[in-house]
Amino acid sequence: MADSRVIADQLLIGLGGAENIIDVEKCMTRLRVGVRDQDRVDVAALRAIPGVLAALPGDNCQIVLGPGLVDRVAIDVESALSAARADGAAASSATRLADKGAAIRQQNKQRNNTPVKNTLRRISNIFVPLIPALIACGLIAGINGILTNLATSGQVPWLATLSPIFSVMSSGFFALLAVFVAMNAAKEFGGTPIIGGVIGGIIVAPGVANIVVWGQQLAPGQGGVLGAMGAAILGAYVERWARKWAPDVLALFIVPTLTVLIAGLAALFLLMPAAGWVSIQIGIGATWLLSTAGVFAGFVLGGLFLPLVMTGLHQTLTPIHTTLIEQVGYTTLLPVLAMGGAGQIGAAIAVFFKLRRNTSIGRTIKSALPAGFLGVGEPLIYGVTLPLGRPFITACIGGAFGGAVVGLFDQLGYTVGAIAIGASDISLFPLLQGNHGWGAAALGYASGLIVAYTVGFFTTWFFGFTRDQLVRLNTDDTIDAGLVPTADAPEGTDDPADQIPTLAGSHHRS
């Protein structure tokens, strides 16, 4: 196991020291590090750190580490930053104020905070922490399904005693999913998580079945995660407003009570009916789209997924997946979108053989491919296909054709769904389900994977590189000689790869 503390210390050096770091944000596979001065960042040194799969320079420098390791490194980086900043606390007030002002200006510049982008990022932050639990409970549900089938078939009757146990473990989280979503939503929007949980608990409370609103009988959980998220966000704004005027001596009583009352009433009388209607429309719309235009819809969705991952916007689809799982037991969108990662795997394999003399790129691909087969696409995106330019486009083409195949199964009436989110590629197989059972869903999904791998490979093999690129890239000393196209390519170049960040210095050690 890689030593996360050693990696963190080396990252700080490569990033120009603690004083050059503005902030550190953790995604599922990478660190986003805001830096003050890009010239102080040693990209080659970052890429040479054992455990680093890729490093992309910029105001928001991205360090791809892969799942698991990124969590440990993030903690150690924050710890190292705190220690380094504590050592520098003796700096003059004027210097500290100047640094703070520069940091604020740099943050505003690098984040490009438009209202839409900011809202999407915050919604993503609500759901990303829930993904490990969704995967765990989904896998347990899949195991329970196998046990139930074996028990009911009479092959192993004693397994029937285990099914209720696995059922409770898999369904407990989903029964309270609205509560967890509300807690995260309250935290993300500046409220108190436990108060957000109370608001979410109103939505799933059994007593809701006794309430009639606008002539409609409410049902526990109506509106699902959308209603819970909306109610908790409203609660966070109410809480912050109440704290501004509530007397300190009474704030402990006034603020939480007022927050729960206002947000709770809004949830029952407005958000639950509205969110319930929206949830139903999402389910109807997704089902209609794939059942009537499955091939076309699958082609578009599968082809666009990698750009969504690249920008981080794929996490904003989580509420839609979760809503579909709540409604019909599985999401039909995830298997289609997963084809984007499969197309990229095919593209990466083609790059590996096409540039077989480039040992640096070869090492990166060999290190990133296992994660890709397990559904983690960022290492291949940032370490291979995106820096090379054309292979990223051909990977998207592979994903589009794979998505069209999965969409074809849906259009023919054999839905391909996933009972949980967070997994992809091969790791999604245990989570598959559909209206004709696991077998039909697995067949449709496997067919899509094979097509995505194949199309991604061959389109990259034949169209992924210009002749000039192959000459420059397919050599042992390409990296050190600085022959890879960079963003500083001469004006007038017509190859899109010449406008993509360089791979130079990407000496990842496998």
Side-chain angles (χ1 to χ4, degrees), residues 86-441:
D87 291 339
S92 69
S93 298
T95 301
R96 290 200 301 271
L97 287 174
D99 288 344
K100 185 176 181 180
I104 293 173
R105 287 193 298 271
Q106 189 68 20
Q107 279 182 309
N108 290 336
K109 177 182 176 181
Q110 74 181 27
R111 290 191 182 282
N112 190 24
N113 267 343
T114 64
V116 173
K117 289 183 178 179
N118 192 48
T119 300
L120 292 176
R121 178 181 62 83
R122 301 185 85 171
I123 292 175
S124 171
N125 291 341
I126 292 170
F127 287 91
V128 168
L130 302 175
I131 288 178
L134 290 167
I135 293 175
C137 294
L139 287 173
I140 294 173
I143 294 172
N144 184 52
I146 296 173
L147 295 178
T148 302
N149 290 337
L150 291 174
T152 55
S153 66
Q155 299 179 27
V156 192
W158 61 268
L159 289 178
T161 60
L162 294 178
S163 181
I165 297 173
F166 279 84
S167 178
V168 168
M169 288 191 290
S170 63
S171 63
F173 171 75
F174 289 105
L176 297 175
L177 182 58
V179 176
F180 294 110
V181 168
M183 292 180 70
N184 285 351
K187 179 180 178 181
E188 179 64 26
F189 283 82
T192 303
I194 194 64
I195 295 179
V198 171
I199 296 169
I202 295 172
I203 291 175
V204 298
V208 168
N210 300 321
I211 299 175
V212 177
V213 174
W214 316 118
Q216 173 189 355
Q217 188 88 32
L218 295 182
Q222 182 174 329
V225 296
L226 298 180
M229 180 174 65
I233 293 173
L234 173 62
Y237 280 105
V238 172
E239 181 182 352
R240 288 159 51 190
W241 165 73
R243 289 192 184 281
K244 292 179 180 179
W245 55 265
D248 291 340
V249 68
L250 298 175
L252 180 62
F253 304 98
I254 294 176
V255 175
T257 304
L258 200 59
T259 300
V260 173
L261 276 174
I262 295 177
L265 290 172
L268 292 171
F269 285 89
L270 296 175
L271 296 175
M272 287 184 69
W277 181 85
V278 171
S279 297
I280 292 172
Q281 299 311 309
I282 288 175
I284 294 174
T287 302
W288 175 85
L289 181 65
L290 291 174
S291 63
T292 58
V295 175
F296 175 75
F299 187 89
V300 174
L301 293 172
L304 292 178
F305 188 61
L306 286 182
L308 290 178
V309 174
M310 181 186 71
T311 58
L313 294 178
H314 64 300
Q315 301 293 359
T316 61
L317 298 172
T318 303
I320 298 176
H321 292 314
T322 309
T323 298
L324 291 173
I325 292 172
E326 285 182 325
Q327 283 191 355
V328 298
Y330 51 80
T331 168
T332 53
L333 295 179
L334 182 58
V336 173
L337 297 171
M339 294 301 112
Q344 182 167 240
I345 288 173
I349 294 173
V351 171
F352 180 82
F353 287 106
K354 198 77 170 178
L355 305 180
R356 55 188 177 277
R357 289 194 294 172
N358 191 315
T359 56
S360 178
I361 294 179
R363 283 195 300 267
T364 300
I365 293 174
K366 285 190 289 186
S367 299
L369 264 181
F373 277 114
L374 293 176
V376 181
E378 284 90 343
L380 286 175
I381 289 177
Y382 293 105
V384 183
T385 60
L386 183 60
L388 289 173
R390 285 193 180 189
F392 182 77
I393 298 173
T394 55
C396 292
I397 294 173
F401 277 91
V405 171
V406 177
L408 175 62
F409 274 78
D410 288 314
Q411 191 169 338
L412 294 175
Y414 294 87
T415 57
V416 181
I419 59 177
I421 62 174
S424 187
D425 212 85
I426 293 176
S427 65
L428 190 61
F429 272 101
L431 302 175
L432 293 175
Q433 191 53 264
N435 59 355
H436 286 78
W438 181 86

Side-chain angles (χ1 to χ4, degrees), residues 31-66:
L31 295 178
R32 297 188 182 95
V33 184
V35 295
R36 292 186 174 85
D37 186 355
Q38 293 187 51
D39 294 335
R40 294 177 60 180
V41 177
D42 189 340
V43 179
L46 293 174
R47 290 170 173 163
I49 299 173
V52 173
L53 299 176
L56 293 181
D59 289 343
N60 200 11
C61 186
Q62 304 203 40
I63 312 295
V64 182
L65 296 162

